[in-house]
């Protein structure tokens, strides 16, 4: 905890302002004020950062490295202030100086180096590792352009590049002296020296990897860990000017661009695998730099290679960093001179893997030729891993060629990264109970029966520090006043709130807080979209990536149906609702983009129809991102978690909504099931197909969406509305959605679940009318949300996978 009073803080702030801007604090220019505050905070962080690093170097404590292609951090200032314990002092001090802390915080550009759930999970994990005093560090790529910015133009998504570094990034520190060289292409010379095979990589192209470090401040400032992001540069930045006249100067520049392209941009794809060579380059680039620097640091501080797996854990976030396995093998074999068996034991002992998806189309498979040409030595190692593994398979499944080739790492001209990840690590986990069961019994069945002990579940979590304490200060205050502040360090203490939720005054308080947050969001919506919404209406929210399996289309059909109902019965007795959407579509995902346009067209028609406007409005919020999520989630009454059962591995926004006292309408998918188990069926709205039914449909067929269209007049009406010009004068505009649902038989069972969704929505309406009862349910959700803190998740990883000692106990 930083011990500083208001006056002292003011003085320090003014001094910092002068120091970095060369002028005294004056009127205007808020960004300069933000910069001064950020730099001051960084100073506070700096000392402890060095101290933590020293402590790790001396103690020999096991170091955890979380490798991820994505870290979706959002803004850092507010969290750093909170975790340093000086957010209130800072707010008061700035207020005296006529500065609004909230305004300064909102000037920070979101650090958006991730697509969605997987990247945000990595960010929550970093926060929890530091807050639990676990020596856990991030390793990834410093993309020059993060996830694209979304604009809505003529109701359609338009992508704009996210130049997040334009105004500088005060949190990062370039560490030139910690650079590494990553080698691409070339050939491998194999020779026998004194009876031992020696592999020399020649004619390769060396790429410079420069690390940029960002501090990860743990709660109460005990521990400051490191997020290391790598940037690609040419080995030599010097140009030979005489080459200018030979016309080679431009060539050199072209080369420089091609190298820097490696860390230029985040792939905006989260379900569709693309076999692009640049993506493979990105993966090897950061993984190789990361593993090399870990080993270098480990040895420098006296670590013995034979003990590596006792002192180092490398966790891979999905298959994207799987090349860490052959890269570690390469270093142990070729640079450290270990034999295969020992190297393999150390490698598998060091590496663990999380799977985040069961969508087959997302699984990474690289063409052998591409892999081999780009990474010749790594390919040899993967081949050897595959050979030895297939031999084991052969010993167990003699003659079962089909099974063996199904399970192999290399087959059908491709390298299967998921299989390499399972074979090369000691732990494989899914991210929610159902997801892990499906992995074991369906998607990775063969691998599971071969390695039953590797598989385990670690249900996802979210950091309550950002998603409750920081983003919802009013609710936090109420909780502190009623159950004390124990939940801040021990989020499962939130359960104490359950004893309070039957009290009318608490229910009223909860309603008041929600109302305030809704008013703030209504203001944002008015300012950004020009739409007036009613803070007394039910805020019904679906914010997440746009994808067919997440079924924004089901929500759309519901809204279209409600519209029909009100027109048919203008006196319909219902609670007014505001339907709020947000989310980005992958730029090449046509159906998802079509869905965004549909939502906006529905919004245009409905919001301009006075006959229904007292009862319903529809809003699509542009550019959904972490900072906007913080504003939306605390203001939500009803959280939409309506994916096709079995398809959402876990979901994490469901946990954030619950923690902020929203009720959930959900299918029994991903972590929704565990939320339901926590709060009980009375406190969540469950509808739709069960997982076994979905699995059976996929296996045996028997579903006909056309029958639902034919037999249900309500469905027929809304489906016809897609193509009759009601929402768009171009009748063909939403043909892709229509075809998807009718012509191609509705892969995600939207029509099948329609009836139970509509029925459940009317139950929501009934329940909302009783404010006290509704708020009691919200309170129960808050009380039971502690288990979904990523502190719980991380302590399970630490004890169950990484074998790191938990210094912070009593969870
Ligand atoms: C792969 C290859 C090429 C280009 C991109 C990708 C790629 C990138 C990102 C594939 C997948 C992702 C991200 C997946 C993701 O976010 N999955 C989500 O992970 C969450 C955290 O575990 C879960 O809660 C969600 O259910 C899951 O969808």
């Amino acid at each position: 905890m930083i011990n500083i009073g208001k006056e002292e803080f003011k003085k320090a702030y003014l001094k910092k302002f002068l120091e970095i801007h060369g002028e005294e604090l004056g009127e205007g220019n808020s960004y300069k004020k933000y910069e001064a505050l950020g730099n001051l905070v960084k100073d506070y962080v700096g000392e402890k950062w060095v101290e933590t690093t020293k402590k790790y170097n001396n103690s020999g404590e096991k170091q955890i490295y979380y490798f991820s292609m994505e870290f979706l951090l959002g803004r850092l200032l507010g969290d750093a202030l909170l975790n340093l314990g000086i957010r209130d002092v800072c707010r008061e001090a700035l207020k005296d100086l006529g500065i609004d802390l909230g305004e300064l915080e909102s000037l920070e550009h979101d650090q958006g180096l991730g697509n969605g759930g997987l990247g945000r999970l990595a960010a929550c994990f970093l926060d929890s590792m530091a807050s639990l005093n676990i020596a856990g560090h991030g390793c990834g790529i410093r993309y020059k352009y993060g996830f694209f910015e979304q604009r809505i133009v003529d109701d359609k998504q338009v992508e704009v590049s996210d130049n997040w570094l334009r105004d500088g990034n005060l949190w990062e520190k370039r560490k030139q002296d910690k650079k590494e060289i990553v080698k691409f292409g070339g050939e491998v010379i194999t020779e026998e020296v004194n009876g031992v095979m020696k592999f020399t990589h020649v004619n390769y192209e060396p790429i410079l990897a420069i690390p940029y470090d960002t501090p990860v401040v743990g709660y109460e400032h005990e521990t400051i860990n490191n997020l290391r992001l790598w940037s690609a540069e040419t080995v030599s930045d010097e140009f030979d000017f005489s080459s200018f006249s030979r016309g080679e100067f431009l060539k050199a520049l072209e080369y420089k661009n091609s190298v820097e392209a490696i860390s230029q941009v985040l792939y905006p794809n989260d379900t569709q695998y693309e076999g692009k060579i640049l993506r493979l380059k990105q993966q090897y680039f950061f993984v190789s730099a990361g593993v090399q620097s870990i080993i270098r640091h480990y040895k420098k501080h006296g670590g013995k290679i034979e003990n590596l797996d006792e002192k180092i854990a490398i966790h891979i976030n999905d298959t994207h960093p799987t090349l860490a396995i052959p890269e570690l093998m390469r270093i142990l074999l070729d640079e450290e001179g270990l034999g295969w068996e020992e190297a393999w034991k150390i490698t598998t002992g060091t590496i663990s893997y999380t799977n985040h998806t069961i969508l087959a189309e997302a699984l990474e498979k690289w063409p052998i030729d591409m892999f081999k040409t780009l990474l010749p030595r790594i390919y040899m190692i993967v081949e050897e891993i595959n050979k030895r593994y297939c031999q084991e398979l052969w010993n167990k499944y003699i003659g079962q060629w089909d099974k063996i080739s199904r399970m192999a790492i290399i087959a059908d001209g491709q390298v299967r990264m998921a299989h390499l990840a399972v074979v090369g690590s000691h732990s494989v986990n899914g991210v929610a109970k159902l997801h892990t069961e499906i992995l074991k019994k369906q998607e990775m069945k063969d691998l599971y029966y071969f390695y039953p002990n590797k598989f385990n579940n670690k249900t996802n979590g979210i950091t309550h520090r950002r998603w409750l304490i920081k983003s919802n200060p009013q609710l936090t205050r109420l909780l502190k006043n009623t159950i004390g502040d124990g939940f801040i360090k021990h989020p499962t203490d939130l359960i104490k709130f359950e004893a309070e939720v039957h009290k009318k005054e608490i229910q009223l308080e909860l309603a008041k807080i929600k109302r305030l947050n809704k008013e703030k969001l209504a203001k944002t919506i008015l300012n950004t979209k020009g739409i007036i919404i009613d803070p007394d209406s039910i805020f019904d929210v679906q914010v997440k990536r746009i994808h067919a399996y997440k079924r924004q289309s089901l929500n759309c059909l519901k809204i279209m149906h409600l519209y029909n109902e009100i027109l048919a019965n203008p006196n319909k007795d219902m609670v007014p609702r505001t339907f709020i959407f947000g989310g980005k579509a992958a730029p090449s995902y046509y159906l998802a983009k079509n869905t965004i346009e549909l939502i906006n067209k529905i919004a245009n028609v409905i919001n301009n129809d006075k006959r229904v406007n007292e009862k319903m409005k529809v809003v699509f919020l542009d550019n959904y991102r972490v900072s906007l999520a913080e504003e939306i989630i605390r203001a939500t009454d009803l959280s939409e978690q309506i994916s096709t059962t079995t398809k959402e591995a876990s979901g994490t926004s469901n946990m954030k909504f619950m923690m902020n006292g929203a009720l959930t309408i959900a299918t029994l998918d991903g972590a929704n099931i565990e939320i339901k188990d926590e709060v009980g069926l009375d406190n969540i709205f469950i509808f739709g197909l069960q997982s076994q039914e979905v699995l059976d449909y996929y296996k045996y067929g028997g579903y006909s969406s056309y029958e639902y269209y034919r037999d249900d007049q309500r469905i027929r009406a809304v489906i016809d509305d897609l193509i009759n010009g009601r929402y768009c004068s171009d009748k063909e505009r939403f043909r892709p959605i229509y075809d998807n649902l009718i012509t191609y038989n509705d892969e995600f069972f939207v029509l099948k679940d329609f009836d139970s969704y509509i029925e459940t929505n009317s139950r929501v309406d009934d329940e909302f009318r009783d404010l006290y009862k509704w708020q009691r349910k919200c309170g129960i959700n808050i009380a039971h949300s502690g288990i979904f803190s990523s502190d719980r998740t991380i302590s399970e990883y630490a004890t169950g996978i990484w074998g790191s000692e938990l210094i912070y106990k009593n969870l």
Side-chain angles (χ1 to χ4, degrees):
M1 219 36 120
I2 302 268
N3 216 341
I4 190 166
K6 187 170 85 171
E7 293 307 320
E8 206 186 329
F9 191 93
K10 264 197 274 186
K11 248 169 77 190
Y13 178 71
L14 291 171
K15 190 165 160 240
K16 184 52 73 183
F17 193 98
L18 185 69
E19 184 187 311
I20 66 165
H21 295 306
E23 63 188 48
E24 285 187 349
L25 178 70
E27 288 292 301
N29 206 338
S30 304
Y31 196 77
K32 279 189 173 173
K33 294 174 188 161
Y34 156 74
E35 283 178 310
L37 181 58
N39 278 288
L40 179 60
V41 169
K42 213 171 66 175
D43 287 351
Y44 291 137
V45 169
E47 248 174 65
K48 199 77 186 192
W49 196 8
V50 176
E51 232 175 80
T52 308
T53 310
K54 264 197 203 145
K55 188 188 91 184
Y56 291 155
N57 291 341
N58 297 333
S59 70
E61 184 179 336
K62 188 164 189 176
Q63 302 290 302
I64 317 301
Y65 295 93
Y66 196 81
F67 276 41
S68 177
M69 287 285 265
E70 307 192 0
F71 287 94
L72 190 45
L73 298 183
R75 294 177 178 145
L76 300 183
L77 179 59
D79 277 59
L81 284 168
L82 179 79
N83 286 356
L84 291 172
I86 54 173
R87 197 156 178 241
D88 291 336
V89 160
C90 171
R91 183 179 289 110
E92 292 305 312
L94 292 181
K95 203 161 146 197
D96 281 3
L97 297 169
I99 300 171
D100 175 30
L101 173 62
E103 192 200 329
L104 295 199
E105 284 181 358
S106 73
L107 293 176
E108 185 175 352
H109 198 107
D110 272 48
Q111 196 155 322
L113 308 186
N115 271 285
L118 169 144
R120 183 54 231 175
L121 187 76
C124 285
F125 280 7
L126 290 181
D127 183 78
S128 283
M129 288 191 290
S131 294
L132 296 180
N133 299 313
I134 291 173
H137 314 281
C139 176
I141 298 174
R142 180 180 179 268
Y143 301 105
K144 183 165 175 204
Y145 297 98
F147 194 27
F148 67 82
E149 266 178 39
Q150 177 195 57
R151 308 252 166 93
I152 301 298
V153 179
D154 293 337
D155 302 320
K156 296 190 258 299
Q157 167 174 298
V158 172
E159 300 93 25
V160 179
S161 63
D162 168 42
N163 193 356
W164 70 290
L165 292 165
R166 189 176 30 210
D167 300 323
N169 168 17
L170 57 88
W171 302 109
E172 68 182 8
K173 182 104 195 69
R174 182 181 165 99
K175 291 277 175 72
Q176 185 86 24
D177 58 320
K178 302 267 179 351
K179 62 181 184 282
E180 297 290 345
I181 301 278
V182 178
K183 301 172 181 175
F184 288 107
E187 300 101 43
V188 178
I189 294 175
T190 309
E191 59 196 326
E192 210 184 299
V193 181
N194 302 330
V196 188
M197 296 308 285
K198 197 168 162 252
F199 303 92
T200 316
H201 193 178
V202 296
N203 298 330
Y204 54 79
E205 182 191 341
I207 307 283
L208 199 57
I210 303 280
Y212 287 74
D213 289 356
T214 298
V216 181
V217 185
Y219 189 70
E220 286 193 333
H221 190 219
E222 257 308 297
T223 293
I224 299 193
N225 288 332
N226 193 18
L227 167 60
R228 175 161 285 183
L229 300 178
W230 296 91
S231 180
E233 295 186 8
T234 48
V235 172
S236 163
D237 222 11
E238 285 158 22
F239 290 102
D240 173 7
F241 275 89
S242 66
S243 68
F244 195 37
S245 54
R246 299 197 303 271
E248 284 166 11
F249 186 70
L250 286 178
K251 253 202 219 147
L253 269 183
E254 249 172 53
Y255 175 69
K256 183 172 149 71
N257 286 339
S258 77
V259 168
E260 289 170 3
I262 295 174
S263 55
Q264 193 88 353
V265 63
L266 165 81
Y267 274 89
N269 234 341
D270 71 339
T271 45
Q272 197 69 38
Y273 153 74
E274 282 181 65
K276 295 266 162 57
I277 192 162
L278 184 60
R279 170 99 182 164
L280 183 59
K281 271 192 186 173
Q282 290 187 330
Q283 298 186 343
Y284 184 65
F285 168 73
F286 94 93
V287 149
S288 172
V291 176
Q292 288 186 69
S293 85
I294 290 167
I295 305 266
R296 194 179 309 286
H297 184 82
Y298 175 67
K299 284 174 63 178
K300 187 173 147 196
H301 291 92
K304 296 211 166 50
I305 280 293
E306 311 83 75
N307 301 337
L308 191 81
D309 53 343
E310 283 164 33
K311 294 291 174 188
I312 304 276
I314 295 178
H315 197 90
I316 58 179
N317 197 20
D318 216 293
T319 54
H320 320 149
T322 300
L323 292 172
I325 294 164
E327 176 65 2
L328 182 52
M329 283 298 285
R330 182 189 69 77
I331 295 173
L332 298 178
L333 296 167
D334 298 357
E335 293 180 12
E336 300 298 328
L338 265 49
W340 184 276
E341 270 84 21
E342 194 180 8
W344 185 242
K345 194 182 139 288
I346 293 172
T347 298
T348 51
T350 303
I351 296 197
S352 46
Y353 155 61
T354 299
N355 174 287
H356 294 266
T357 186
I358 49 165
L359 296 179
E361 63 268 32
L363 293 182
E364 293 193 290
K365 299 178 190 106
W366 296 107
I368 289 178
D369 285 344
M370 183 196 287
F371 195 119
K372 209 177 186 167
T373 312
L374 190 68
L375 307 166
R377 177 62 185 136
I378 293 299
Y379 184 74
M380 287 171 79
I381 292 170
V382 174
E383 245 182 346
E384 184 66 24
I385 294 172
N386 185 52
K387 198 181 104 196
R388 289 169 185 249
Y389 161 65
C390 287
Q391 184 64 53
E392 279 181 57
L393 292 179
W394 174 255
N395 294 343
K396 182 157 179 187
Y397 306 120
I398 300 166
Q400 299 184 45
W401 284 112
D402 275 0
K403 191 185 186 93
I404 293 171
S405 84
R406 255 198 337 263
M407 293 174 75
I409 296 168
I410 303 175
D412 305 327
Q414 292 175 318
V415 184
R416 299 164 175 166
M417 301 308 267
H419 292 193
L420 179 56
V422 173
V423 175
S425 49
H426 65 276
S427 166
V428 177
N429 75 281
V431 290
K433 279 181 193 158
L434 175 68
H435 170 58
T436 302
E437 282 313 301
I438 293 175
L439 275 185
K440 294 199 304 198
K441 307 289 161 57
Q442 307 263 336
E443 297 304 311
M444 295 197 168
K445 191 167 126 207
D446 294 330
L447 289 162
Y448 169 61
Y449 287 115
F450 192 64
Y451 295 122
N453 299 328
K454 286 192 187 188
F455 285 72
N456 62 90
N457 176 247
K458 298 284 171 280
T459 299
N460 281 166
I462 55 162
T463 169
H464 63 294
R465 285 168 290 277
R466 177 179 292 258
W467 296 107
L468 172 62
I469 301 168
K470 193 200 125 205
S471 66
N472 200 342
Q474 276 88 4
L475 178 56
T476 304
R477 195 168 315 130
L478 172 66
L479 290 167
K480 279 189 195 166
N481 290 343
T482 47
I483 60 168
D485 57 9
F487 71 94
I488 295 178
K489 278 197 129 184
H490 307 286
T492 44
D493 276 8
L494 283 169
I495 199 68
K496 293 184 185 158
F497 193 55
E498 195 166 30
E500 307 289 326
V501 301
H502 63 277
K503 297 179 184 157
K504 284 231 148 62
E505 67 268 23
I506 295 288
Q507 294 160 1
L508 277 177
E509 269 305 303
L510 283 172
K512 220 165 91 190
I513 291 163
K514 184 66 65 164
R515 164 81 199 204
L516 271 174
N517 288 332
K518 287 167 78 174
E519 281 168 16
K520 282 190 202 152
L521 182 61
K523 225 180 250 167
T524 303
I525 289 175
L526 180 62
N527 291 340
T528 56
K529 302 290 288 190
I531 302 172
I532 298 172
I533 60 167
D534 172 8
D536 285 325
S537 63
I538 299 175
F539 280 18
D540 173 331
V541 177
Q542 188 173 19
V543 283
K544 49 183 80 260
R545 288 301 291 268
I546 313 293
H547 198 289
Y549 86 80
K550 293 180 188 278
R551 299 201 297 190
Q552 281 89 359
S553 55
L554 177 58
N555 200 350
C556 285
L557 296 187
K558 167 186 84 181
I559 295 167
M560 293 159 73
H561 170 63
L562 182 65
Y563 182 42
N564 288 346
E565 270 203 327
I566 300 174
L567 290 181
N569 174 13
N571 296 324
K572 181 179 161 64
D573 184 21
M574 63 172 275
V575 183
R577 260 202 224 199
T578 304
F579 301 95
I580 299 170
F581 291 85
K584 295 175 184 175
S588 60
Y589 189 175
Y590 189 73
L591 191 67
K593 290 179 125 175
N594 202 229
T595 306
I596 291 179
E597 193 179 350
L598 176 63
I599 296 168
N600 282 308
K601 292 281 190 227
I602 293 174
N604 293 344
V605 170
I606 290 179
N607 297 346
N608 290 305
D609 190 339
K610 296 223 160 42
R611 295 171 297 174
V612 300
N613 275 171
E614 304 228 313
K615 294 199 159 72
M616 66 191 298
K617 286 265 172 89
V618 182
V619 179
F620 185 93
L621 282 170
D622 310 19
N623 202 28
Y624 181 62
R625 60 197 184 284
V626 174
S627 56
L628 186 56
E630 292 172 28
E631 241 185 295
I632 297 173
I633 289 171
R634 65 184 181 206
T636 295
D637 296 306
L638 185 67
S639 150
E640 298 273 352
Q641 306 298 337
I642 59 175
S643 53
T644 306
T645 305
T646 72
K647 294 292 178 185
E648 190 70 272
S650 159
T652 42
S653 75
N654 45 5
M655 302 167 184
K656 296 165 196 163
F657 282 110
M658 167 198 201
M659 195 175 269
N660 282 274
L663 299 192
T664 307
I665 183 163
T667 49
L668 285 174
D669 198 15
N672 299 344
I673 298 172
E674 286 153 80
I675 294 179
K676 183 260 299 168
D677 290 344
E678 272 296 319
V679 300
L681 276 171
D682 280 348
N683 300 298
I684 187 168
F685 300 98
I686 297 292
F687 75 98
L689 285 164
Q690 307 259 334
S691 56
Q692 199 52 51
E693 295 174 285
V694 171
L695 294 173
D696 286 347
Y697 270 136
Y698 283 131
K699 196 160 168 194
Y700 305 114
Y703 172 61
S704 160
S705 65
Y706 180 74
E707 286 172 12
Y708 288 85
Y709 170 81
R710 187 191 59 201
D711 298 340
D712 188 329
Q713 172 275 324
R714 301 164 307 172
I715 295 181
R716 212 161 53 243
V718 290
I719 294 286
D720 288 347
D721 281 347
L722 289 173
I723 52 163
N724 63 13
R726 184 147 189 217
Y727 291 98
C728 184
S729 56
D730 172 4
K731 292 185 182 175
E732 291 305 301
R733 178 72 81 203
F734 301 117
R735 178 70 67 179
I737 296 176
Y738 176 92
D739 279 344
N740 189 266
L741 294 175
I742 303 295
T743 319
Y744 304 121
N745 202 27
D746 182 16
E747 185 187 350
F748 296 108
F749 308 107
V750 173
L751 303 194
K752 172 86 196 167
D753 277 347
F754 179 84
D755 178 61
S756 93
Y757 184 49
I758 296 295
E759 188 268 325
T760 309
N761 265 285
S762 70
R763 275 206 291 128
V764 169
D765 197 273
D766 294 341
E767 301 270 1
F768 195 82
R769 289 162 197 262
D770 184 340
L771 178 144
Y772 293 104
K773 209 167 134 201
W774 180 274
Q775 289 302 337
R776 180 169 46 82
K777 291 174 194 280
C778 295
I780 289 173
N781 272 268
I782 297 167
H784 283 268
S785 67
I787 191 103
F788 299 107
S789 160
S790 44
D791 290 4
R792 187 267 311 149
T793 315
I794 280 298
S795 64
E796 288 178 6
Y797 274 83
T799 51
I801 300 178
W802 302 329
S804 54
E805 270 172 54
L806 270 189
I807 295 171
Y808 175 84
K809 299 228 172 64
N810 309 323
L811 269 166

